[in-house]
């Protein structure tokens, strides 16, 4: 009796858990899908944000995430290469890994403060696309490094051996054998990090995002609208909350779809490759 | 003649320098926060800020920077959300690791990972449109924005995070332990309660610490749902202003360089120190633990 | 006594020494995996190293192209002299050494690139730029490794599409494309079927006229079939070394005899 109860309790709690999230996403989906249309996606907002679309927010999020990936890519890949291919000292590996994990645990609003003080003020970039992208790039760096290390360590050692036995240097081996072999998994890491960057709000709160903009951003130094911030702003700062809720539903749904699509794609690709690798060896 | 070697020490040096970027970033964040908060710490004093309970930073004649209400609110919300997410999270992990069939296991793990990526602003939004009116009606409150609402939403949000961390911990338990227990005729629930959960306990503890770090630093949900009142909350249905919420909402209205501005960075510094300690502690425990189970690298 | 016999026997033949190993010791951490090994390996001959697994035979030949570089906490003593130069010395140009001493591994390890790119890899490592020259050398190498007929219309296809045996011959082609002087084979047929094995063996016999070959194998028939000289290793020591014929037909050491007649599991 006790046993049956225990097993059932665990199962029902698990499905309650899944159900809750499905409920949340489903709720927003049902309320939001009617609002989404091509017009909603591709027109500017007007009439003090009570009508029109979310085009500038989409563009802003796209620019912010792409730029932050571009900034995070070089240090991320190099750190992963160094940790996976070069460093032999265990203590050094530990120090670097601990700092990566710790960086991953820093609250996003703290990154926002840091970005404001350093990029907005100290470097004088102002509240801008550039400041926001730099801040976001530090936020996603730990995620990107971890995923890239996984990508590199999946490349079989025998390939490195083959290359070195032909007289290649370590650097040549990395450039011509390891990186090409890991290319698609590094792409997965990029997709994963993009998904994370697209949903972040707090880091861009004081570094990049504005509530409303008449025109699309025309330089790295213009502030931008961004999808997650847009949802927050519509719900808290609007002048006509009752009219703006509909737009917020639409924006939330677009954000959910974008983020979940990117993350699912990355997870799917990764799992597929993991299974393939398992079969091969 | 210059000897060619396979290693290129200049490149290695460059790479190692870049690899310390994460450590450097941590230091820079700390330095920046320290530098910006210096003004308020010097003027008012850290102890006084932390222990006094009047937070009126924008009062023109007599501004007060007592952080106790904000810190209390953060602790309340974190504690309550953990109360929700720990049981659901750990038990869900037990389900995935011990009950689900191998194929379903892979799928469920991926599923948990995917839903843990739902942006926090979406949870905040859902809280506003769905939960706030319900809580308001249920408890007959003037407003549904309160500690309870934000704790519930935050708790739900933290469940997948805790689930996946706990699942990793349960996975580390060698299957030989399971087999040994089953071979002695123990049933599944006995094995789980007596063997697996104790063996994974420090991993689960690590998961909880990491989860706590995430929750205390989470911004958007508490910003959108806590109600924003900066007094020490007396009941669950009181509105409150946790640390992250104060930083996020007040940074926009403060004057750069003012005492208020500096005190917001002090809040950031406190948050940073708490999360760094939690994170390092969790890693320390988990490295000891994996060594003990012989699965350390 | 034993060494005297070997010397006597070897002096009869007039071989040119390509690799001279002198008092070689190798340590992996606190464990000594090679003990006091001295032997001469002769030019344009096939030398087989046999012995039970864990006897140090792989470790031994991996020193010839210094693949021990990647083994952490290892230490070597003694000398390995190739063309008058001790390659264990610190100032050895490892890149040049590996170009002269090629290696074929136990498991086929082609790069996830096209067949053409696989063989061109070593050439590009050596700074070859001219595509025509590269292509000529690739085709030549494929012919020499008896793979040309099977792949001549598929040069631009991924090497992973080849069978295991073909992949291993591709790895041999990749190795000989850079025209090494010595080729090390580390159990090249361990993961192959009998037919592919036969092809590789045939190929090794054929390559002998141009290259000095050292092959590690746990397959005694294989050693007997293809090698001119055989060394028997046991627990890091070289027990016996001599003409293959003598080792197999008339072993001088009891342990060699036991191993060859299958008394060692």
């Amino acid at each position: 009796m006790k046993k049956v109860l225990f097993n059932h309790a665990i199962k029902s709690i698990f499905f309650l858990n899944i159900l809750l999230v499905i409920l949340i996403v489903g709720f927003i989906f049902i309320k939001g899908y009617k609002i989404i249309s091509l017009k909603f996606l591709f027109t500017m907002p007007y009439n003090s944000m009570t009508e029109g679309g979310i085009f500038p927010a989409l563009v802003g999020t796209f620019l912010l995430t792409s730029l932050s990936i571009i900034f995070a890519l070089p240090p991320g890949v190099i750190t992963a290469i160094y940790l996976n291919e070069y460093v032999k000292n265990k203590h050094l590996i530990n120090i670097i890994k601990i700092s990566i994990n710790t960086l991953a645990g820093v609250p996003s609003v703290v990154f926002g403060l840091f970005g404001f003080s350093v990029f907005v003020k100290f470097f004088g970039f102002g509240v801008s696309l550039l400041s926001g992208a730099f801040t976001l790039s530090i936020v996603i760096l730990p995620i990107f490094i971890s995923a890239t290390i996984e990508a590199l360590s999946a490349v079989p050692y025998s390939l490195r051996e083959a290359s070195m036995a032909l007289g290649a240097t370590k650097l040549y081996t990395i450039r011509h054998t390891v990186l090409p072999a890991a290319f698609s998994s590094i792409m997965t890491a990029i997709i994963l990090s993009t998904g994370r960057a697209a949903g972040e709000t707090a880091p861009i709160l004081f570094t990049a995002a504005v509530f409303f903009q008449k025109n699309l951003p025309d330089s790295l130094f213009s502030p931008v609208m961004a999808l997650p911030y847009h949802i927050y702003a519509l719900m808290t700062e609007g002048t006509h909350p009752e009219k703006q809720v509909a737009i917020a539903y639409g924006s939330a749904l677009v954000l959910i779809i974008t983020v979940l699509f990117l993350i699912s794609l990355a997870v799917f690709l990764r799992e597929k490759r993991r299974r393939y690798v398992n079969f091969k060896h | 003649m210059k000897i060619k070697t396979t290693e290129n020490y200049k490149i290695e040096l460059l790479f190692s320098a870049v690899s310390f970027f994460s450590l450097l970033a941590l230091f820079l964040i700390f330095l920046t926060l320290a530098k910006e908060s210096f003004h308020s710490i010097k003027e008012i004093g850290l102890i006084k800020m932390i222990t006094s309970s009047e937070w009126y930073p924008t009062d023109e004649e007599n501004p007060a920077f007592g952080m106790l209400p904000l810190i209390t609110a953060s602790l309340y919300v974190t504690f309550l959300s953990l109360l929700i997410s720990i049981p659901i999270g750990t038990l869900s992990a037990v389900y995935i690791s011990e009950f689900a069939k191998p194929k379903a296991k892979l799928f469920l793990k991926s599923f948990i990972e995917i839903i843990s990526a739902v942006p926090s602003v979406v949870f905040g939004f859902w809280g506003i449109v769905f939960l706030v009116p319900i809580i308001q009606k249920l408890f007959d409150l003037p407003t549904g924005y309160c500690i309870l609402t934000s704790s519930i939403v935050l708790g739900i949000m933290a469940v997948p995070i805790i689930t996946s961390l706990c699942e990793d911990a349960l996975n580390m338990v060698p299957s030989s332990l399971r087999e040994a227990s089953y071979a002695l005729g123990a049933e599944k629930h006995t094995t789980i309660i007596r063997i697996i959960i104790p063996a994974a306990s420090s991993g689960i503890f690590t998961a909880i610490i990491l989860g706590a770090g995430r929750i205390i630093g989470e911004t958007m949900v508490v910003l959108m749902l806590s109600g924003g009142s900066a007094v020490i909350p007396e009941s669950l249905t009181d509105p409150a202003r946790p640390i992250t919420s104060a930083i996020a909402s007040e940074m926009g209205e403060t004057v750069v360089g003012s005492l208020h501005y500096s005190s917001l960075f002090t809040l950031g510094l406190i948050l940073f120190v708490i999360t760094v300690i939690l994170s390092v502690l969790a890693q320390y425990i988990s490295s000891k633990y994996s060594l003990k189970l012989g699965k350390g690298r | 006594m034993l060494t005297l016999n070997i010397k006597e026997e070897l002096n009869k033949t007039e071989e040119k020494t390509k690799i001279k190993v002198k008092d070689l010791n190798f340590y992996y951490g606190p464990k000594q995996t090679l003990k006091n090994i001295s032997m001469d390996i002769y030019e344009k001959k096939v030398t087989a190293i046999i012995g039970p697994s864990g006897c140090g035979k792989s470790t031994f030949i991996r020193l010839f192209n210094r693949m021990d570089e990647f083994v952490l906490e290892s230490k070597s003593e003694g000398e390995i002299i190739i063309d008058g130069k001790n390659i264990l010395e610190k100032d050895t140009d490892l890149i040049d050494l590996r170009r002269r001493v090629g290696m074929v591994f136990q498991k086929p390890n082609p790069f996830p690139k096209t067949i053409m790119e696989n063989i061109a890899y070593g050439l590009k490592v050596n700074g070859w730029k001219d595509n025509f020259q590269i292509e000529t050398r690739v085709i030549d190498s494929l012919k020499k490794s008896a793979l040309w007929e099977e792949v001549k219309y598929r040069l631009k296809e991924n090497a992973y599409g080849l069978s295991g045996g073909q992949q291993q011959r591709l790895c041999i082609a990749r190795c000989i494309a850079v025209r090494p002087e010595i080729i090390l084979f580390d159990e090249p047929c361990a993961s192959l079927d009998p037919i592919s094995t036969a092809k590789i063996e045939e190929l090794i016999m054929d390559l002998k006229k141009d290259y000095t070959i050292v092959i590690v194998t746990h397959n005694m028939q294989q050693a007997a079939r293809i090698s001119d000289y055989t060394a028997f290793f046991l627990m890091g020591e070289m027990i016996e070394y001599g003409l293959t014929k003598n080792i197999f037909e008339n072993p001088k050491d009891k342990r060699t005899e036991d191993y060859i007649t299958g008394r060692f599991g």
Side-chain angles (χ1 to χ4, degrees), chain B:
Chain B
M1 195 194 84
K2 209 180 144 228
I3 298 154
K4 285 190 286 176
T5 59
T6 56
E7 310 259 351
N8 183 331
Y9 291 101
K10 276 184 197 154
I11 290 286
E12 188 169 345
L13 202 67
L14 176 76
F15 281 12
S16 78
V18 174
S19 298
F20 277 98
F21 183 80
S22 296
L23 189 61
L24 182 75
L26 280 175
F27 268 117
L28 282 180
I29 292 172
F30 178 77
L31 282 181
T32 309
L33 296 173
K35 185 197 119 213
E36 297 278 21
S37 56
F38 182 72
H39 180 41
S40 63
I41 292 175
K42 195 180 143 219
E43 287 287 308
I44 310 164
L46 189 60
I47 305 292
K48 199 183 165 212
M49 273 196 278
I50 293 177
T51 51
S52 60
S53 53
E54 307 271 304
W55 179 258
Y56 297 112
T58 47
D59 190 316
E60 286 186 7
E61 281 163 24
N62 206 358
F65 300 96
M67 293 168 179
L68 200 57
L70 317 181
I71 296 170
T72 325
S74 272
L75 293 179
Y76 268 136
V77 170
T78 306
F79 179 73
L80 281 175
S81 336
L82 282 174
L83 224 48
I84 297 168
S85 54
I86 289 173
I88 304 184
T90 42
L91 291 176
S92 298
V94 168
Y95 177 81
I96 296 179
S97 138
E98 308 298 322
F99 287 87
K101 294 183 181 67
K103 267 198 172 170
K105 202 172 183 171
L106 271 180
F107 172 76
L108 291 174
K109 280 176 84 164
S110 305
F111 186 79
I112 295 287
E113 187 180 346
I114 291 165
I115 59 176
S116 70
V118 172
S120 54
V121 68
V122 169
F123 281 98
F125 173 69
W126 176 78
I128 294 179
V129 293
F130 185 84
L131 199 61
V132 166
I134 292 181
I135 297 280
Q136 186 185 4
K137 263 197 206 129
L138 208 59
F139 295 93
D140 196 21
L141 300 168
T143 163
Y145 295 92
C146 62
I147 290 186
L148 186 63
T149 317
S150 57
S151 302
I152 292 175
V153 176
L154 213 45
I156 295 174
M157 200 178 122
V159 165
I161 297 167
I162 298 211
T163 306
S164 82
L165 289 169
C166 281
E167 210 275 329
D168 290 342
L170 292 171
N171 245 338
M172 297 273 277
V173 176
S175 53
S176 58
L177 279 185
R178 266 175 214 117
E179 283 155 13
S181 173
Y182 289 137
L184 290 169
E187 289 189 80
K188 196 161 204 165
H189 70 284
T190 325
T191 308
I192 291 170
I193 296 171
R194 293 276 169 78
I195 306 292
I196 294 170
I197 292 184
S201 59
S202 60
I204 294 174
F205 187 54
T206 312
I208 292 169
I209 295 175
L210 284 176
R214 290 282 192 87
I215 294 174
I216 203 167
E218 171 44 46
T219 310
M220 295 318 289
V221 169
V222 292
L223 176 63
M224 292 166 89
L225 298 175
S226 298
S229 140
V231 287
I232 296 179
E234 278 162 5
S235 90
L236 288 184
T237 49
D238 279 350
R241 183 180 298 196
I243 299 175
T244 50
S245 164
I247 298 173
S249 60
E250 292 171 28
M251 267 299 281
E253 29 187 273
T254 182
V255 181
V256 174
S258 68
L259 209 52
H260 182 202
Y261 172 86
S262 172
S263 69
L264 292 179
F265 276 87
T266 311
L267 285 174
L269 186 63
I270 293 171
L271 208 54
F272 177 80
V273 171
I274 293 174
T275 49
V276 166
I277 289 173
L278 288 177
S279 171
V280 172
L281 182 68
Q283 292 179 62
Y284 175 74
I285 296 173
S286 104
S287 71
K288 284 213 131 181
Y289 165 75
S290 56
L291 275 180
K292 212 167 78 188
L293 285 182
K295 287 209 175 178
R297 289 197 199 175

